Amino acid sequence: CEQPTQAVKSARFASFPKVLAVQVRRFELVNWVPEKLDIAVQVPLGEVSLEAYRGRGIQPGEEALAETDGAPAAQQPAVDEEVVAQLEAMGFPRVRCVKAVSRTGNCGAEAAMTWIFEHMDDPDIDAPETAGAEPPSDVNPEAVEQLAAMGFARDRVQRELRSAGGDAERALDRLLSIPDDMESMEPAEPVADDPMGGGSAFELTGFVSHKGSSVHCGHYIASVRHGSGADSQWFMFNDSKVVVQRTPQPEHAYVYFFTRVD
């Protein structure tokens, strides 16, 4: 019999940036409330090599995945038939009922009925909903309301929920970790005269820590290394105060900044 194929998926750097920013997930969503995770992460203060994570294309023994021919056959999406039946009993066509329940994430008759009324004039309102179609433009309204109630802009909440496939926890992760003004930033172009993306040796040159027991309150401080190597010195920035930090403690930081050693 044929042996099962084992596949390994990994991510590598096509090029190394001059400054590498690493954001650590420091919260989890519990009953729609983000709670802080106070878990120590061992981060070296000295030089660290990332050469093992450099991408070099297809390696010996590896094969490129074959391109698929054509799209898979469309299937009807999984919907709550009980809710569909309730809507049909109100006089709505089954196609609209199925689409409404699917687009609202099986969140009940009330949410589906609201969707139907809001989309009565859509030209494709009676087009069948299929699993092979493009992802729906609508998201779970309950998730939108919960996240918007935390102070995020509703249009951004909907956009992050779509990107996360409806997963509210993943959407909240991005909402908390990516400022609004960073979403429109263009990715940096590789340095033209540095085809290999520079050296792979980095050293920690800064980190941002949060002092407090909750993500809703507390205080942020920044630690920055001045100089490099054994002659370097750490400073802590606390609002207008700047003091020498003799024993930097990056274990509980939110964001780390590594500078490439050239």
Side-chain angles (χ1 to χ4, degrees):
C1 62
E2 294 185 1
Q3 294 295 324
T5 300
Q6 292 185 347
V8 177
K9 182 179 180 180
S10 60
R12 294 288 185 268
F13 287 94
S15 62
F16 289 112
K18 178 63 179 176
V19 178
L20 175 65
V22 179
Q23 186 262 332
V24 179
R25 181 171 180 175
R26 288 293 184 184
F27 63 87
E28 65 178 348
L29 197 62
V30 179
N31 295 325
W32 290 101
V33 177
E35 293 189 359
K36 184 177 179 180
L37 296 175
D38 195 21
I39 301 173
V41 177
Q42 300 303 316
V43 180
L45 293 175
E47 188 173 305
V48 59
S49 175
L50 300 181
E51 187 61 31
Y53 302 99
R54 187 192 294 275
R56 299 182 183 278
I58 298 178
Q59 298 297 298
E62 297 179 346
E63 296 181 6
L65 290 176
E67 297 289 340
T68 57
D69 296 328
Q75 301 176 353
Q76 287 299 319
V79 295
D80 189 333
E81 287 296 338
E82 184 177 344
V83 176
V84 173
Q86 292 179 30
L87 296 173
E88 286 185 295
M90 299 177 190
F92 298 112
R94 177 174 175 80
V95 171
R96 298 187 186 185
C97 298
V98 171
K99 178 175 286 189
V101 175
S102 173
R103 295 293 179 93
T104 54
N106 288 305
C107 285
E110 184 175 351
M113 184 169 60
T114 300
W115 187 93
I116 290 177
F117 285 127
E118 290 178 348
H119 296 79
M120 291 287 285
D121 297 327
D122 289 2
D124 61 345
I125 184 66
D126 291 318
E129 183 82 339
T130 59
E134 290 294 320
S137 59
D138 298 273
V139 291
N140 186 337
E142 181 181 353
V144 174
E145 293 300 327
Q146 293 280 3
L147 294 175
M150 297 179 186
F152 301 109
R154 185 176 297 273
D155 59 341
R156 190 181 172 210
V157 168
Q158 293 174 335
R159 186 166 63 253
E160 296 298 353
L161 279 169
R162 293 188 192 105
S163 298
D167 188 322
E169 188 164 340
R170 286 174 52 203
L172 180 60
D173 191 345
R174 284 180 54 84
L175 288 166
L176 289 173
S177 61
I178 303 178
D180 291 346
D181 55 0
M182 287 185 63
E183 288 196 315
S184 59
M185 293 178 64
E186 297 270 342
E189 292 291 335
V191 180
D193 59 353
D194 195 1
M196 291 302 293
S200 58
F202 285 79
E203 65 177 3
L204 183 67
T205 52
F207 56 91
V208 179
S209 304
H210 177 263
K211 303 298 182 182
S213 58
S214 169
V215 297
H216 297 296
C217 62
H219 186 65
Y220 287 95
I221 61 174
S223 298
V224 178
R225 182 202 295 261
H226 177 67
S228 180
D231 298 329
S232 64
Q233 192 172 26
W234 284 90
F235 292 87
M236 182 179 69
F237 292 75
N238 186 350
D239 289 340
S240 60
K241 283 186 177 181
V242 181
V243 297
V244 174
Q245 192 174 24
R246 302 191 184 281
T247 55
Q249 299 175 329
E251 294 84 4
H252 297 277
Y254 265 60
V255 183
Y256 299 93
F257 297 93
F258 295 88
T259 299
R260 197 174 73 202
V261 180
D262 290 333

